[in-house]
Each structure stands twice: as C-alpha cells, then as structure tokens.
Amino acid sequence: MRRTSVLLALAIFGGGIGTAAAQTMSYAEAISQVSTVCRNDIARFCRGVPLGPRLRACFDANEARMSPQCRQTAQTVYASITRRAAAQRDIGEVCSADIMRLCGTSFADANLVECMAGLAPQAMSPRCYQTFMDTGWATERTRR
Amino acid sequence: MKFSHILAAALVASAAATAALAQQGINSSQMATSLAGVSRSGKLSLTGAQMRQAVLDNIRNYPGALPSHPLSFPELEGLTQIVVEVDFDFNSDVIKLSSYRTVGAIADALHHPLLLGYGFLVIGHTDSVGGRAYNVGLSQRRAEAIRTALIDPFGVNPAVLEAVGMGEEQLRDPAHPTSGVNRRVQLVNVGKKFCFGRSGEQFVCP
C-alpha cells in the first residue's frame, strides 16, 4: 500500500528527485490550489475573510454551499497541510531512536535530512519513514 | 508597481542588492537558504516592543508628511534577511488571494530543516500614502495577518514569530515615496531560539 502511494505520488508530482517522493504538498502548492480553484467561492461566501483560522472556519461553515471542485480541493489541501505540519512537528520524537541508531546524530542537524533521505525505507520504522515522507523534506533537500 | 509577480525576494544585506528574483514558482528552498547562512552569533538584544517604540518616537521627533529622518536599527543590519512582496486589499490587512502562494512559500521556508528553532521578525512596511501614524498601525496589522496565517494553518511555532509594523518610516525608495517597492515584508532571522535534545524534544536554547 505504501509503495503504491509512493509511486502514485511520484507520478503526480513528476520527477521526485532522489530516492523519495513527497506524499504531502508543499504549503505553497497547497494553498495556491485553494486560491485558484476556490476563487469564486471565496468571493461569494468568504469575502474579506483573512487567510488563517478564520478562512478555514468559513470553508467549514459554508461547505454545503460551495462548488464541488472547491469543496474537494479545500478538503484535500487542508488535509495535506495538517498532515505535513504534524509530521514536521513530531518527527524529532517519532524518529529519535532511528536517527540515533542510523545517523548517529541528534535532531535538527542540517546533515540529518541528507542522512535520512539516503536510507532505505525499510531501514527505518514504518512510522518514522511515513513521518519523514510527510514532512516533505526528502524532496526539498538541504542545499548548501 | 505591478502586482503581476507573486514574489520578489532579494537578499538585503546591502540596500543596493535589489536584484530581485521575480518568479512564478517560488523556490522556498532558496528562500530558506537565504535566511539560513547564520547571522551574527549572539542574541538580538532589540525587542519588538522597542522597535515599535522607536517607530513612534521617530514620528514624534521628526514630524512632517514624510519621514525626514530615516529610522535605522543597527542591531538588525548584520542579520540574515529577505524581502518578500505580499499584496493586501487596499487599506486592509486582508491578504490578497494572489499572495496566498507567497505566504505558503514563507511557511515552507520557515519549516525547512536549516531553520528549525530559529526566531524571525516579520516586519511590515507601507508606502507614504496615508498618514504616518496610520501607516504604522496598518503595517502592524498586516504583519500580524501574515504571522497569524503562518501559525494556523501552516503550523509555524508562534514563539518564533514576532510581527512589527514599520509604517513608512523606512522607505526603500525615498525619492519615490508612493512607489510600490516601498510596500514590502521583511523577514529577519534573529537567531536560534529553540534547541533539540537527543529524543527530539524542544527546549529554549541555553
């Protein structure tokens, strides 16, 4: 299952560089989908509502009235954003054992992403691997 | 200035470095790299509250339609920073849909592994249209609007973001005070605030 979704993500995002593919969208890509697909719905139902928690609340409150395309996009986008943010917040804890064992470094070291991206997926615990994929860091490698 | 391009990000280590990268696809990775390259060591002694006070003092000490005395913060000059264009509705703190992508890209950059645990000032600047004191308030609300969006939905830690409104006290192009190049958001890396332990736990750096 995981492998197919990785392949799917590769197909969708085209040219996932390196070993891993993103399973969540970048925040820029995610929110720009809302701004384009939901342009008319925002003008109708959420005019003047600021980007942030109030816009999300407005989407929730008007879900039934919104166009199917916007509704679908907003659901996908907010799910992706939430998942990526949770992964970026939690990866230090989720992966601490794997990081110490496989990379010999502590969290938030600039070399950490390089190390993790170079590991075989099965080397990490499934939850750590999934979380790492969800952060999006594997495809936005540290360049120096 | 046209609102055509979503983002103009430039290193502003020197004010002359105006070679803005205007592009459709924003490279948040590049943004992160520009914001990393660490700043002077040591903690910034200047607080957001002190900056806000300095802005008000500047208006009181040098009254007039335009700021005759450009406000400067030497403490910020050695710090790594970028300038970003975020468009707002006229006279409003509501971010335009056309700038959603830019705000998302800032969030991507701030979540980049290179920048984990670092603190940032989000400094809003206006052009000279409108009163100076009014513009301080407007730019403060705009900077806060960006901060709010970065926190929710994009999950940036509120403790690493401080919003400051500079009004028109630091015009980028004083010869053309109403020019759009003056309207901008400055992101300043103020140094590492949070460190991470071996188990990934976060704590205030000693």
Side-chain angles (χ1 to χ4, degrees), chain B residues 77-147:
Chain B
E77 272 161 24
L79 303 180
T80 316
Q81 47 195 293
I82 60 169
V83 168
V84 178
E85 180 188 327
V86 176
D87 297 327
F88 291 85
D89 291 343
F90 182 69
N91 240 346
S92 152
D93 58 3
V94 174
I95 298 166
K96 278 185 191 280
L97 263 65
S98 56
S99 285
Y100 279 19
R101 174 179 278 276
T102 302
V103 177
I106 296 171
D108 285 317
L110 298 188
H111 280 294
H112 195 283
L114 278 174
L115 298 181
L116 284 181
Y118 283 85
F120 293 90
L121 287 171
V122 181
I123 306 177
H125 299 266
T126 66
D127 60 23
S128 68
V129 179
R132 286 166 68 190
Y134 176 82
N135 282 336
V136 173
L138 180 62
S139 57
Q140 180 73 40
R141 285 185 281 122
R142 286 176 168 177
E144 277 164 11
I146 294 170
R147 179 178 181 271

Side-chain angles (χ1 to χ4, degrees), chain A residues 25-120:
Chain A
M25 289 178 268
S26 72
Y27 297 126
E29 172 56 24
I31 205 65
S32 75
Q33 285 189 11
V34 163
S35 66
T36 51
V37 177
C38 295
R39 173 172 298 276
N40 294 335
D41 293 86
I42 290 173
R44 274 188 76 189
F45 305 115
C46 305
R47 182 178 289 277
V49 177
L51 176 63
R54 288 176 55 196
L55 184 68
R56 194 203 303 231
C58 183
F59 275 121
D60 288 344
N62 293 283
E63 201 176 13
R65 300 197 288 165
M66 296 209 158
S67 70
Q69 297 92 321
C70 170
R71 191 186 314 142
Q72 179 58 52
T73 299
Q75 278 171 3
T76 309
V77 159
Y78 279 111
S80 172
I81 289 173
T82 304
R83 189 161 153 188
R84 179 171 280 215
Q88 291 172 336
R89 186 191 62 221
D90 297 339
I91 187 169
E93 282 176 65
V94 172
C95 293
S96 64
D98 294 272
I99 290 169
M100 256 189 272
R101 184 168 55 89
L102 300 165
C103 298
T105 168
S106 62
F107 184 65
D109 180 311
N111 300 313
L112 177 63
V113 174
E114 290 297 324
C115 170
M116 293 185 79
L119 296 172

